[in-house]
Amino acid sequence: MGFARTCSVALVGVEGVVVEVQADLEPGVAAFTLVGLPDKSLIESRDRVRAAVVNSGGEWPQKKLTVGLSPASVPKGGSGFDLAVACAVLAAAERIDPRRIADLMMIGELGLDGRVRPVRGVLPAVLAAADAGYRQVVVPERTAAEAALVPGVSVLGVRSLRQLIAVLTDEPVPEEDESADAGRPDPLLAGLAVPGADAGTGARDRDGEACPDLAEVAGQFTARRALEVAAAGRHHLYLQGPPGAGKTMLAERLPGLLPPLTPQESLEVTAVHSVAGTLPAGQPLLDRAPYCAPHHSASMPSLVGGGSGLPRPGAVSLAHHGVLFLDEAPEFSGRVLDALRQPLESGHVVVARTGGVMRLPARFLLALAANPCPCGRHGTLGEGCGCPPSAVRRYLGRLSGPLMDRVDLRVAVEAVTRSELTGTLTGAEPTATVAARVREARERAAARYAGTPWRCNSEVPGHELRTRWRAAPGALDGAERDMERGLLTARGLDRVLRVAWTVADLAGHDRPDIEDVGQALELRTGIQRGAVLAGGWA
């Protein structure tokens, strides 16, 4: 009788659970039993592992073989357990010393020829291994750079099972030839990406490519300033205007204004995209804010996460620490839009399915864009709007009050004039100039909130802003009067105060004064309260 064990990781959303892979050999009729709540792809590993061991020069044990995945109560799926199962079987058959693999964490899929193929979710899996105290990890060679992002972990990247056996038995490591022909895609990279999963995420086209420049937007100085405030304080934004006014152009340039991700944020974003299969090839770490713009026909699971069995990350998680842009927002399903209310407040989404309940990160900056009516010509010059007032109300009423109450900035985007479009009027600042002011404002906020769990103004509870970081005396008089008139809710007043702190940070003020609050109210309600200039804040 032989027994051996090693370890691997089961992913539940973007969090990993350490799984002990045990192999037991007993005399009896040759059979291979796999237990521990495996899914279909994991059950099929029996045939993959057997063929890989034989084709790697090993001998398959002709005994009763039982492989257990513990804890048995945790659902397990995917092909990333193949490498651990193969090594546990070989150790139980005494081809490998069981003590050499007992403290190893192994992640990887096996081809029938013994090659080790990469799998998605290596980064969160290695993070879970490090948290559990493991310091040696074996991963496919193609994902070794991704695994090496986790500090304090020794990573061994292998190309084949034959190479790993040689390392574990202190034998010469054989050379493995590259299988991909010159000029053709590497077939081993096929498992890292889900076809079409990166559409609209902005993850692939941002690698080494400059973001669109804000200077390309003609006019729209008020909307440009709203973008600056949204980026500086991570405030949610709503743009309403006729078709062709530049709403989509503005939203596409919002990620370029955001500061680079911190090391911790980069790991969180990379982990989500690694699990979702949207991590760009050759880019193990995402250090720029992601941008996700799903179509208005998006379903509930595609937006908040879901799928058969255990849920997968949706658009709100793919936009974590980045921008989620919903163009033609009233065309989205009302249920889908209202599902955003929880992550807008908490920064995460809890998805419950028959396969389990999981918590997915979803701290994003929401940007909404809408036409003023179904035909888009309401309130514009030229051909008048043919929509009856009831149709206009129904169209904009698709954006529920509770959802819009969570949106800090609401800006009317007017049609571009001829002088603005032809360049007669100047003053459009490039993205780099605005991004520099945003970074300075973020640094002021970070210094103010040092030692607290908050980093941006949008994260600070209203109670703290009213008691611990007070505005200038009398600065909130206008906002309080709007609340008494019913123009603002209690949540709306807190959000005006948050925006006022961002305006103050951009202007270099120690605390918001009456002008800062006035500009915050204007951006919240659309009622003129202060002067927004082309070159700076009044």
Side-chain angles (χ1 to χ4, degrees), residues 276-475:
T278 59
L279 194 63
Q283 188 179 1
L285 182 67
L286 296 177
D287 58 357
R288 301 172 68 183
Y291 173 77
C292 190
H295 191 259
H296 61 258
S297 61
S299 63
M300 178 84 73
S302 68
L303 194 67
V304 301
S308 60
L310 288 176
R312 297 178 57 83
V316 297
S317 297
L318 294 175
H320 184 53
H321 290 310
V323 176
L324 175 64
F325 176 50
L326 302 186
D327 199 4
E328 306 292 346
E331 301 294 342
F332 282 78
S333 165
R335 292 180 60 251
V336 171
L337 290 175
D338 285 337
L340 298 175
R341 287 153 58 177
Q342 179 202 0
L344 286 177
E345 289 290 334
S346 62
H348 63 267
V349 59
V350 178
V351 183
R353 294 292 185 271
T354 56
V357 179
M358 65 180 57
R359 182 179 182 270
L360 298 169
R363 189 171 296 281
F364 55 89
L365 194 164
L366 176 64
L368 302 171
N371 294 326
C373 66
C375 74
R377 296 191 298 270
H378 183 70
T380 60
L381 299 176
E383 296 184 7
C385 172
C387 303
S390 58
V392 176
R393 289 194 300 269
R394 283 196 304 269
Y395 183 75
L396 297 179
R398 297 176 184 176
L399 302 176
S400 67
L403 173 63
M404 294 303 298
D405 201 32
R406 291 168 168 82
V407 178
D408 301 344
L409 312 176
R410 307 173 189 178
V411 179
V413 182
E414 303 294 341
V416 181
T417 64
R418 183 182 66 178
S419 58
E420 291 172 337
L421 190 61
T422 57
T424 305
L425 299 179
T426 59
E429 293 179 312
T431 294
T433 302
V434 180
R437 289 201 299 267
V438 169
R439 285 196 298 271
E440 293 176 1
R442 286 280 188 109
E443 290 170 359
R444 291 190 185 98
R448 181 168 61 250
Y449 304 132
T452 70
W454 314 298
R455 297 182 64 249
C456 298
N457 292 320
S458 62
E459 302 173 357
V460 185
H463 174 74
E464 297 290 337
L465 293 179
R466 293 192 301 270
T467 58
R468 187 172 178 181
W469 293 287
R470 294 177 178 271

Side-chain angles (χ1 to χ4, degrees), residues 61 80-81 92 121 184 199 224 253 255 266 306 324 371 460 486 506:
F81 293 90
R184 298 182 61 184
R224 290 164 59 92
R253 283 146 182 80
S266 294
L324 175 64
N371 294 326
V460 185
L506 287 168

Side-chain angles (χ1 to χ4, degrees), residues 89 129 133 141 198 202 217 235 237 253 255 286 289 322 364 429 436 438 440 450 459 466 480 501 511 514 527 529:
V89 172
E141 186 182 57
D198 61 317
V217 180
H235 302 287
L237 174 67
R253 283 146 182 80
L286 296 177
F364 55 89
E429 293 179 312
V438 169
E440 293 176 1
E459 302 173 357
R466 293 192 301 270
E480 291 171 353
W501 269 106
R511 57 178 177 172
I514 190 170
I527 302 174
R529 309 295 178 114

Side-chain angles (χ1 to χ4, degrees), residues 210-293:
C211 292
D213 199 333
L214 192 59
E216 299 169 356
V217 180
Q220 306 299 355
F221 294 114
T222 301
R224 290 164 59 92
R225 285 303 182 186
L227 249 67
E228 184 176 345
V229 173
R234 203 160 66 187
H235 302 287
H236 306 305
L237 174 67
Y238 172 66
L239 302 172
Q240 178 181 312
K247 302 186 296 295
T248 302
M249 287 187 66
L250 289 164
E252 289 175 344
R253 283 146 182 80
L254 183 54
L257 303 181
L258 299 178
L261 300 178
T262 64
Q264 179 61 33
E265 291 173 346
S266 294
L267 288 178
E268 294 176 8
V269 172
T270 303
V272 173
H273 285 264
S274 177
V275 171
T278 59
L279 194 63
Q283 188 179 1
L285 182 67
L286 296 177
D287 58 357
R288 301 172 68 183
Y291 173 77
C292 190

Side-chain angles (χ1 to χ4, degrees), residues 16-31:
V17 178
V18 174
V19 173
E20 187 177 67
V21 181
Q22 304 170 340
D24 178 73
L25 283 175
E26 297 180 357
V29 178

